[in-house]
Every structure is written in C-alpha cells, then in structure tokens.
Amino acid sequence: MKKSRVFYFFIAVGAAAALAGKVTRERQIKAQKEGRHIPYGVYEAVIKEPLDRILAGIALIVLSPMMIFVALLVKRKLGSPILFFQDRPGLNEKIFKILKFRTMTNSRRADGELLPDEIRLTSFGKILRSTSLDELPELINILKGEMAIVGPRPQLVCDMVFMKQDHRKRHEVKPGLTGLAQVNGRNEIEWEKKLDYDLEYIKKITFIEDVKIILKTIGKVFLKDGINEIGCATALDYGDYLLERKMISREEYEKKLNEAKLFIEGKGHE
C-alpha cells in the first residue's frame, strides 16, 4: 500500500512539473511575441506570484498584532490618517496606490505648501523607517497582486520620468517590497547603480536568488543599513539628484515634473 502511495505521489509530482513547464513555455512565447519581459523559468512564470500572495497573507496574520500596535502609535504621535497612500508606477508602468505607515507630519507653510521633508520627518518617523516598520502595509499591495515580495522597489512617478528608456524596463516586472538594490546599499548608492541592479535582477529571476535577497534584507533591517543618503533626512528624488549634479537643466527638470503630473492624471498605461 505504501509503495503504491509513493508511486502515485511521484506520478502527481511529475504531471504537475510537466504542466508547469508547458505553461511556462506558452507564457515565454506569448511575452516574446508581444515584446514584453520574458519570464526566466517556471518559478517566475508560474510559482512566484501565487507564492508571494500566500506568504503575504500569512505574514499579515502573523504580524497583525505588531501592525495594530504600530498603527496605534502612529495615531498617537502623528494623528490621522494612519496610512500614507501614494501613486507609484507598477507593472508596465500602471499606477497603483502604495500603502505605508505615516512617518511625517502634515506641517505646511503660510502659502499652504508642505514644509521640507527634514522638518516634517519626526524622530518617531525615523525609527519606523530605520526598522522598515513603515513598509509593513505593503503586504496588502502584495496580497492584491500589485507588488511582489522581491522586485525593483516602486519609485515615485517623478523618478520614473527622469529614467533612461533602458532603466524604465525595470517596470516590466512587479515592484517589490525589497530588491537587489536594497541589499547592495539601498539609498547610499548612486541612482544609476541602483537602477542597474534592478535591471540585473529582472534578467534572471529565480527562487534561490529571491531567498538570498530576503535573507540579506532581514540582516540589513537589523543593522539599519543604508536607510538614507549621507547628509539627507530622506532619499533624494532622481530629478533632484540629476539637477544637483548639473546633469540636466532647470528647464528639462521642470518639463519632466510636468510630464510626471500628466502621467499621474492619466493613471498610467491602461
């Protein structure tokens, strides 16, 4: 009886592997014909998305007491709203709302404009960022299928419009809660290097590589490594980075910011 069960088990595993291989080849051929990102293998084409959603659901249940505690602290320290929503470019540059715990106040100047980040970012907010606790609500984005556990980090729309066309290929896969750039310096490395890491990751997405990145991320969080650029309260936007280094003119800068505004109003590519 036991031998029969083992036999049927291996038959089932073999059938599942064959089906996964068939689906992978079909998706690779379809992506190639449509000029889209071609999944590297079975893991990326078939397993990664459902696995991410399952793990995100488990994490939300396990971490719910901590998230409730953090939410209460945000309410007490910063008031309402507890969550921070922001438009970010996702898969194929389609706009989605990223969820985070708030880390800044809404303090404004007399003209109604928000004060600089370094003024609005509180000591409590710095703790949330240094421990990455502010990122926990993104598990909901993963559960909804808007993000992955590992992938290029979702940057601002105003960052995306300043990217070269090659670097914008990072949006051919779902953005991630963490990524290759995050475990290789995070906000302490130059923007171009950060984007190059994203392109390097999407060339060969494997289960082993994702596990390595997740384990390295855990280590980075405990060490509070690479949270912000040296001398900055928050990471410098790509456009500001280019303007500061005189890599673009003020006119180009303003034109790109207007392009970002129009992109958000259009809600990305449908």
Side-chain angles (χ1 to χ4, degrees):
M1 179 65 92
K2 288 184 179 180
K3 289 183 178 180
S4 297
R5 288 178 180 175
V6 171
F7 174 76
Y8 287 122
F9 170 77
F10 281 111
I11 289 293
V13 169
L19 178 60
K22 182 176 182 293
V23 172
T24 298
R25 287 191 294 275
E26 288 175 350
R27 292 182 178 180
Q28 288 174 332
I29 292 169
K30 183 178 179 182
Q32 187 173 27
K33 287 180 178 178
E34 295 176 355
R36 296 183 290 106
H37 170 75
I38 301 172
Y40 178 75
V42 175
Y43 170 70
E44 182 185 359
V46 181
I47 300 173
K48 183 175 170 68
E49 181 176 350
L51 181 61
D52 281 348
R53 292 196 187 197
I54 291 169
L55 293 177
I58 294 171
L60 280 169
I61 293 170
V62 173
L63 298 175
S64 58
M66 181 185 293
M67 293 179 69
I68 291 170
F69 178 68
V70 173
L72 291 173
L73 286 177
V74 172
K75 174 69 174 178
R76 180 179 177 183
K77 301 280 188 179
L78 300 174
S80 295
I82 293 170
L83 293 177
F84 170 72
F85 297 82
Q86 191 175 53
D87 288 324
R88 296 288 176 100
L91 178 63
N92 297 322
E93 299 185 349
K94 186 174 182 179
I95 299 297
F96 74 100
K97 295 282 185 184
I98 195 171
L99 281 69
K100 294 187 179 186
F101 283 122
R102 279 182 63 207
T103 57
M104 295 186 185
T105 68
N106 287 323
S107 301
R108 298 175 182 270
R109 295 197 293 256
D111 61 2
E113 287 291 319
L114 288 169
L115 291 172
D117 289 353
E118 57 267 24
I119 296 176
R120 296 190 297 118
L121 182 60
T122 64
S123 56
F124 168 68
K126 289 178 182 177
I127 293 172
L128 288 186
R129 290 192 176 198
S130 67
T131 56
S132 295
L133 289 172
D134 64 316
E135 309 277 1
L136 288 179
E138 290 171 43
L139 290 168
I140 297 172
N141 290 121
I142 297 172
L143 197 62
K144 291 170 65 180
E146 297 167 334
M147 289 179 60
I149 292 177
V150 180
R153 279 295 294 164
Q155 303 295 347
L156 299 169
V157 176
C158 63
D159 291 331
M160 180 190 72
V161 298
F162 283 99
M163 294 177 192
K164 296 177 182 177
Q165 207 57 44
D166 279 351
H167 283 148
R168 286 179 70 158
K169 289 180 180 178
R170 68 194 297 281
H171 301 105
E172 292 181 357
V173 301
K174 288 183 181 180
L177 184 63
T178 186
L180 189 59
Q182 279 57 52
V183 298
N184 282 285
R186 201 170 175 178
N187 292 327
E188 289 183 349
I189 57 177
E190 296 287 311
W191 261 99
E192 289 81 7
K193 187 63 176 175
K194 189 188 304 184
L195 297 174
D196 285 342
Y197 274 126
D198 291 338
L199 295 184
E200 182 183 337
Y201 170 76
I202 69 173
K203 287 179 183 177
K204 188 177 179 181
I205 298 176
T206 66
F207 177 74
I208 296 298
E209 183 64 21
D210 278 4
V211 170
K212 286 180 181 177
I213 290 172
I214 291 169
L215 293 176
K216 287 181 181 179
T217 300
I218 294 170
K220 291 280 183 181
V221 169
F222 278 111
L223 292 173
K224 301 180 182 179
D225 187 20
I227 302 301
N228 297 313
E229 293 179 344
I230 297 170
C232 299
T234 58
L236 201 62
D237 291 349
Y238 192 26
D240 294 332
Y241 163 87
L242 295 172
L243 185 65
E244 186 179 271
R245 286 160 177 74
K246 299 184 178 359
M247 297 169 73
I248 58 171
S249 66
R250 171 62 68 172
E251 183 180 0
E252 290 173 307
Y253 176 80
E254 296 294 341
K255 182 180 178 181
K256 286 293 185 181
L257 288 185
N258 186 57
E259 182 182 330
K261 182 180 178 182
L262 293 174
F263 193 94
I264 291 173
E265 290 174 354
K267 293 301 176 185
H269 301 313
E270 296 298 336

